[in-house]
Amino acid sequence: ALYGTNDVGLLRDYKEKFAAAKNWALFTLAGAFGLVFPDKYAAMATELTLNTNSQFYKGGICFAEGLANFGKAPADDRKEDLLAKLDTRDEAVVHGAILGLGLRLALSNDQHVIDRLEQHLYGESATKGEAAGFALGLLKATNFDTGKVEELINASRNNQHDRIARSMMSALGLMALGNKAKADGYFDKLIVEQDHVLRIGAAQMLSMAYFGTGDNNVIGKLLRVAATDLSDDVRRAAVLGLGFVMIRKRTKALTIFNMLSTSYNAFVRHAVALNLGIIGAHSFDKKIIKTLKKLLEDKTDHVRQAAAVALGLVLQQGNESLEASFMEVRKLLIEKFEKKAESEVAKIGYQFGLGLMAAGGGNCIVNLYSEAGTLKIQSAIGVYLFSQFWYWYPLANFIGLSFEPTYLVGVTRDLKIPLNFTITSKAPKKIFDYYKTPEEAEEKKTEKGPVVLSSTRRAQARHAVKADNRDMVIEEVKDVKEAEQAPEINEADAKKAQVLRNASRVLKRQLNYIDLKGKSQRYEVALPERKIGIVFLTDKRQGEPETYLDELPSETYLIPPLEFVFDEKANK
């Protein structure tokens, strides 16, 4: 929920619980700080009084560094420092350092680092070897090295540690990403292997190679595996693979997954639930929500877990106006989490679901494709490894790699953000607003009054005048005293139009209501059809005074809202 926010306030409220974290829970928590505080994760972890002497904390911080810097090669001295950590005795430190190296050097195919990783991949420690498998996959993602594939297959076949063998198969899936022809032949060979781990690898290779293609032949192959294989783990991998292949064919996928959701096999139902969440992320699809609500009442713990996670994905950036069942689902997840009789496995899912609903403080969604329809490799990797938290919970943090904020920012030719460029949303604010908790909604109902400055309140207090904080709300005014007027709109839309400051949150479902034109606009958008992300502006009145976003105070509470009016009477 706090992805990328750098907001330590909420975390401080749970300071004691965080301080009590131990072992791999501490590792996972420290790793998550790389998503919450991408620039200062180590400092924040220290401030929250985590056990900084623990090997799990130290390893988690290395993991956090990788999550915060995916694909950004470290400086030589930092790289050597991480490599040096591979020789320590503490397994958690090595595990974190390996994952950190894999994330920072993702897609680089760095042979020197690969050689170091293989020392642990083919070693005796399951903890170190598992991390090495994932990291190797990250380094060689999209690079289908036939010799390395054969090497991993042979090592997996003779490996006594299932954890290492499975991570090797995960690496095969990452290497196969985008390599259709090469993956086809290996699928046919591996799917008939007696070792079920190799059959998992076959399903993962095929599904990642055909990620998002909707290929009917591949769908048929994976359906046969899902229906006939004797291993529950293989069937689960095949169903998950179906979701990856059909990720852009939601209607077709929903037809198939609705049938599979009634399967007697709980592993299949788990995969179905997780798939529906990934395919329907931020869609508010009523059919998907209906199916997931049924699975949320499943008798099997891990099916309820996956259904909760999926509901969180489907309802990202939602509110009660966008989806009538939003608050109902949120309330249901909270109630289930608070039940003492509920299992810990399911409760983890309820927590994930609630967090995913408000990803990035309600500003982010899981997004796998660019506006041009191109697959985002980082997002695909993040979702793929996240789906394997089934085996290793720290992998849940990989979902952060697929998060993307939804915003609209207008920039000038010198990449400055002018405040005199405004955005008009021709829809009531409540439709696309952040969701309100019951407590916040109650506060909203209070009577409105004029703005009273804090200095005025202190002066009033000194004169024994009681100030009621509930009256400190922004006064509604019709004449907005801005340097530029809002764009002109027709009378019907004028009643529900909302003016947004430059650099504002804009949802994908909001795009049809966004208007960037208007006779009063000083700036003209270079590509008018683009209404999300970064848009380039042409200044029609160059030379006139302008205020830019980076010139505003760094403290957000000092920045007046767009419709701010100073009331002299109230502040005498």
Side-chain angles (χ1 to χ4, degrees), residues 26-70:
L26 176 57
F27 177 92
T28 306
L29 175 61
F33 286 162
L35 300 175
V36 180
F37 310 105
D39 300 319
K40 48 184 179 180
Y41 38 85
M44 288 299 103
T46 303
E47 182 176 334
L48 293 171
T49 64
L50 301 183
N51 182 3
T52 56
N53 293 320
S54 168
Q55 62 164 312
F56 299 97
Y57 164 82
K58 294 174 181 176
I61 287 299
C62 293
F63 185 24
E65 179 186 345
L67 290 170
N69 296 281
F70 180 87

Side-chain angles (χ1 to χ4, degrees), residues 229-294:
D229 202 278
L230 298 177
S231 167
D232 287 336
D233 285 304
V234 177
R235 297 179 73 172
R236 176 184 173 275
V239 176
L240 275 175
L242 280 170
F244 295 146
V245 174
M246 293 190 291
I247 207 154
R248 304 189 77 176
K249 305 280 186 182
R250 190 193 306 165
T251 302
K252 183 176 182 179
L254 187 54
T255 301
I256 293 174
F257 291 140
N258 271 337
M259 292 188 293
L260 292 176
S261 68
T262 60
S263 169
Y264 73 90
N265 191 300
F267 285 62
V268 170
R269 298 198 303 275
H270 171 97
V272 165
L274 207 54
N275 266 334
L276 289 175
I278 295 170
I279 291 172
H282 182 56
S283 69
F284 311 110
D285 190 306
K286 294 186 182 299
K287 292 181 180 179
I288 290 180
I289 293 172
K290 182 179 179 181
T291 302
L292 290 175
K293 286 171 74 174
K294 289 181 181 178

Side-chain angles (χ1 to χ4, degrees), residues 198-210:
L198 290 173
R199 300 201 301 277
I200 290 174
Q204 290 177 337
M205 287 180 75
L206 190 66
S207 60
M208 291 301 283
Y210 285 86

Side-chain angles (χ1 to χ4, degrees), residues 309-322:
V309 171
L311 281 168
L313 290 169
V314 174
L315 294 171
Q316 281 186 327
Q317 289 191 331
N319 60 36
E320 57 273 26
S321 297
L322 272 174

Side-chain angles (χ1 to χ4, degrees), residues 553-564:
S554 58
E555 297 85 356
T556 55
Y557 69 89
L558 291 176
I559 303 174
L562 200 60
E563 298 181 353
F564 175 82

Side-chain angles (χ1 to χ4, degrees), residues 8 37 61 154 170 241 247 274 287 321 326 343 368 443 479:
V8 74
F37 310 105
I61 287 299
N154 291 329
S170 295
I247 207 154
L274 207 54
K287 292 181 180 179
S321 297
F326 178 88
S343 72
L368 293 166
E443 290 177 5
D479 298 324

